[in-house]
Amino acid sequence: MSKTTKKTSGLSTDKNWWRQAAIYQIYPRSFADSNGDGIGDIKGITSRIPYLKSLSIDAVWLSPFYPSALADGGYDVDDYRDVDPKLGTLADFDEMLAGLHAEGIRVFVDIVPNHSSNLHEWFKEALAAKPGSKARNRYIFRDGKGANGELPPSDWVSHFAPSSWTHESTFGGKNNQWFLHWFAPEQPDFNWENREVQKDFLKTLKFWSDRGVDGFRIDVAHGLAKDLSEPFRSMPVHEGLEQRGNKGKGIWGDRNEVFAIYKEWRKLFNQYDPPRVAVAEAFVHPERLPLYASTKTLGQCFDFRFIETPFEANTYRIATQEAIELAKKNKSSCTWTLSNHDQIRHATKMGLNPAVNRRDWMLSNGTSHPLDMQSGTQNALAATLYILGLPGSTYMYQGEELGLHEVSDIPEKDIQDPQYLRNLKVDKGRDGCRVPLPWTATGSSFGFGSGGAHLPQPKWFADYAVEVEEKDSLSPLAIYRKALKIRKDLQTKEEIKWHKTKDVSVLHYSRPNGWHCITNFRAQSYPMPKGEILVTSSPLVGGQIPAGTTVWFKKK
Ligand code: NOJ
């Protein structure tokens, strides 16, 4: 592990660095393209380390960069211990890691344990092998129903397709069996009862930890354990990703057996100094979140409630309080997030008229969505400052620091997301938040790379380009930079105190060191309390806080 020690020079020695960290999610294919092939890559990330440094973030989380045919944006992994040649090499990865570490920025990688891709060596082997073989037992193959096995083994519905069973002949298998996939058919689910599968993932976690990776984001962390007892239970309609309320006994979501897997992972993580950290993506009943976030399991679990909470004072207050209490249950810290690669950018969500239901993760297709971009960005900034001030860590998504909006008019021919293609085109899918970033106002693909962008960028991206916002002291980028820089001072004790306000549309809390945050959600205007203003999400008007504005200030 001496390699690791050498690289960590710019990093703090605090073992609890993750508890109140600011983590910036990079979707590598859409961040920066170094070789002009239209796809973002690892060297592109390395070239932007000064930009990442300028954000004063503690860590980056990289969405999958592994070899993949991109049936699901890289969440269909061909090889867990390599870099996709389209994105670079392991040597490029090491160079990027060293560069980030030197600047004090830690790195999370995304681990996708529920399923591989259909092009993974093991799945290819399984297809070529006989029913009942060792190779097939790494996945979930079963005989079909009907006289000739022509019907799927159960009525389970997939997240991306009508059935969660696909006949093996689709990919060339000749044994008349079906295999299970919670997501696309190109994402066959692993059989986590198989010790070989369990050991292989330990090997993967060790592989990246030994390279110096600091943490892991665990994809579909609640999905690994499944009830495969026969006859299969019935699930004729998709029960959502979460199967909320099943109390640990659902068919494939959030079963109690999953924690044995994470306890074993934790033992591995704790062999490192500092221990490797992990955050679970688990769509479960909030009461179950602490089980994933326990110090004995993964340590942290995304709490997506602000993605689903309307931008209004009362709902924000309730959501904040509930999340803080939940995190305390297992000595974890809160995980605030407003945007990620799976849902409508929050600037758009907050500027739509009529506002979309906050539970909606995607824009519906075929409906017009009148958008007030200016108020959306303003509300989004107010929401961001609100959550950045709270105790716990904040996970941000690339482009939100520019106030970037969803691209909602991607032509059908350019759409890549299986969510759109397989879900009867009911939703627009997730490509709209995955469009390559604008770095410059002009030039090929707005500075993303010299050879165009793999998803079309709209003209209005020019106004949101990094180089444009860098010249404007009131731009979202300027506000993010300012807030993230001073945020470190307020991350002392993980506590907040609520203060009474004279308007139900205004929330005011403070942190133990005399630092305050006040948000005017909807009141026409609200008097600014006495104190030294540290940062405002939009300018005060005549000494008053306008609607859709957050102010950080210090009481003398
Ligand atoms: C959650 C990921 O965030 C999403 O992008 C992906 O489609 C599914 N898991 C399947 O891996």
Side-chain angles (χ1 to χ4, degrees), residues 72 75 115 160 183 217 219-220 281 341-342 430 434:
D72 181 19
Y75 285 89
H115 44 264
F160 289 160
F183 295 88
R217 178 262 189 192
D219 189 65
V220 201
E281 184 215 33
H341 66 295
D342 283 335
R430 301 164 296 179
R434 299 176 178 180

Side-chain angles (χ1 to χ4, degrees), residues 205-273:
L205 295 169
K206 186 169 180 326
F207 176 86
W208 293 109
S209 299
D210 286 350
R211 286 198 114 76
V213 159
D214 307 278
F216 300 94
R217 178 262 189 192
I218 314 301
D219 189 65
V220 201
H222 56 310
L224 281 43
K226 296 179 171 76
D227 180 3
L228 297 173
S229 57
E230 294 189 39
F232 291 121
R233 288 156 65 183
S234 175
M235 188 189 6
V237 263
H238 196 273
E239 294 179 7
L241 274 175
E242 54 278 276
Q243 298 193 315
R244 286 183 195 189
N246 68 43
K247 298 197 164 63
K249 297 193 160 71
I251 293 178
W252 61 22
D254 189 29
R255 286 183 62 78
N256 289 332
E257 295 84 353
V258 84
F259 303 112
I261 300 168
Y262 299 136
K263 283 184 185 155
E264 192 169 26
W265 290 15
R266 172 52 52 197
K267 282 194 194 130
L268 176 88
F269 295 153
N270 287 352
Q271 285 167 17
Y272 291 85
D273 181 19

